[in-house]
Amino acid sequence: MNDSHSKPLKDQNALVTGSSSGIGAAIARKLAQHGAAVCVNYRSSADCADDVVRSIVAEGGHAFAAGADVSDESAVQGLFSECVARFGRLDIVVANAGIQRDAPLEQMTLEQWRAVIDVNLTGYFLSAREALRLFAKQEINPALSRAAGKIIFISSVHELIPWAGHANYAAAKGGIMQLTKSMAQEVASRRIRVNAIAPGAIRTDINRQAWEGPDALSKLLKLIPYNRIGEVDDVAEAAAWLASDAADYVVGTTLFVDGGMVLYPGFASGG
Ligand code: NAD
């Protein structure tokens, strides 16, 4: 197999926000396995980000860690400057950093609302806007990719499925759906591809209470037609594909990686 098949992202450079853990870490590793050099962004967990970098380097890849709070405009601009200083150019930006601050709506504080919107929606906007500014300046290099740049938003099944007790999170993810489509429509003619991935229930820290222990897991599995919890690599594989030229004609869509969670499992036996 030649390199363009075994390493479809060879010589490309990627930034993955919030990639010191969970889905982001798996995406960073996967993009590196496919040949990309990766900036592992973290907010406060420098040690965990360094571990991700070390695991990439141990497999023969290239990576560095960079701290930045994605909800802070100047920090995001600094993060992109650092990527350009280290890499020269960026080809792939994955906006992944996310948080939950759950509460019933009546009890939800403005602080909880704002925290989630600031990171999960404004953070995606800030990362995507800087990516766009950079991609628009870069020449398309067909030896690297048919696109000038690729942006991938890690959304959620909750861009579609309402979620009582998590209205801030669902509102942010619903916003990401329209950000994906509006931005893709706006920039596609410049050969910039914007897409989203909507994971279902993936085994990470963010949702530990939903899968830890047999009772929680069996309750969760009732929501998943494919009858298994998702693993971070399920999402990482999808991200690597979306970032590659194999997905060159995929523009402005959300790829659900959810074991069928959005298929109204309650209707499986006729409703
Ligand atoms: P996670 O908690 O392991 O990862 C979230 C990461 O974002 C962490 O590394 C955290 O440090 C980072 N982060 C948080 N705030 C940040 C900020 N202000 N600046 C920079 N980084 C910040 O959980 P995860 O499950 O890997 O979540 C990753 C993404 O996947 C999130 O957007 C989440 O909403 C989405 N998602 C997860 C699931 C799931 O089932 N795990 C399902 C659907 C969507």
Side-chain angles (χ1 to χ4, degrees):
M1 221 193 279
N2 70 29
D3 255 8
S4 67
H5 290 291
S6 64
K7 302 235 187 249
L9 306 178
K10 188 171 175 298
D11 295 333
Q12 296 190 47
N13 302 313
L15 162 65
V16 185
T17 69
S19 54
S20 62
S21 68
I23 290 171
I27 292 174
R29 282 193 207 98
K30 190 65 68 183
L31 297 183
Q33 284 162 7
H34 287 233
V38 184
C39 172
V40 176
N41 160 252
Y42 64 93
R43 185 192 40 189
S44 50
S45 322
D47 290 353
C48 299
D50 286 342
D51 286 346
V52 176
V53 168
R54 262 193 293 278
S55 71
I56 290 172
V57 171
E59 290 185 337
H62 300 284
F64 76 98
D69 176 344
V70 297
S71 67
D72 176 333
E73 184 176 31
S74 58
V76 173
Q77 287 168 338
L79 175 64
F80 275 76
S81 300
E82 200 174 341
C83 286
V84 173
R86 296 286 289 252
F87 290 150
R89 65 179 277 143
L90 269 178
D91 305 282
I92 301 157
V93 171
V94 183
N96 163 82
I99 58 169
Q100 285 183 220
R101 296 286 183 274
D102 308 330
L105 206 71
E106 274 174 287
Q107 275 112 52
M108 188 177 286
T109 62
L110 182 57
E111 195 183 9
Q112 288 170 319
W113 172 266
R114 279 198 178 131
V116 170
I117 298 298
D118 284 355
V119 176
N120 297 17
L121 186 55
T122 307
Y124 280 41
F125 156 69
L126 291 172
S127 303
R129 190 188 61 179
E130 292 314 306
L132 170 58
R133 288 173 172 171
L134 186 57
F135 293 164
K137 284 192 293 204
Q138 294 178 167
E139 297 284 318
I140 295 179
N141 178 351
L144 288 180
S145 173
R146 296 174 74 184
K150 285 87 56 155
I151 296 171
I152 299 170
F153 294 124
I154 303 305
S155 173
S156 164
V157 288
H158 296 296
E159 73 166 50
L160 203 62
I161 303 176
W163 203 12
H166 306 73
N168 47 2
Y169 185 87
K173 297 297 185 181
I176 289 168
M177 177 186 66
Q178 278 301 341
L179 178 62
T180 305
K181 293 182 198 306
S182 303
M183 186 174 177
Q185 190 189 57
E186 193 170 323
V187 303
S189 63
R190 289 190 259 172
R191 302 299 288 269
I192 296 167
R193 292 198 294 110
V194 184
N195 290 289
I197 295 173
I202 310 296
R203 194 195 308 266
T204 71
D205 277 350
I206 210 171
N207 59 354
R208 181 171 290 278
Q209 87 298 337
W211 52 262
E212 204 162 53
D215 290 350
L217 189 61
S218 82
K219 196 166 153 229
L220 178 66
L221 291 179
K222 289 195 175 56
L223 300 173
I224 308 172
Y226 205 58
N227 206 36
R228 74 163 170 87
I229 188 167
E231 304 296 346
V232 289
D233 266 356
D234 291 313
V235 182
E237 290 286 1
W241 176 76
L242 267 182
S244 78
D245 274 3
D248 188 57
Y249 210 50
V250 181
V251 173
T253 201
T254 297
L255 176 58
F256 285 81
V257 178
D258 69 344
M261 199 176 227
V262 296
L263 298 176
Y264 297 95
F267 282 79
S269 52

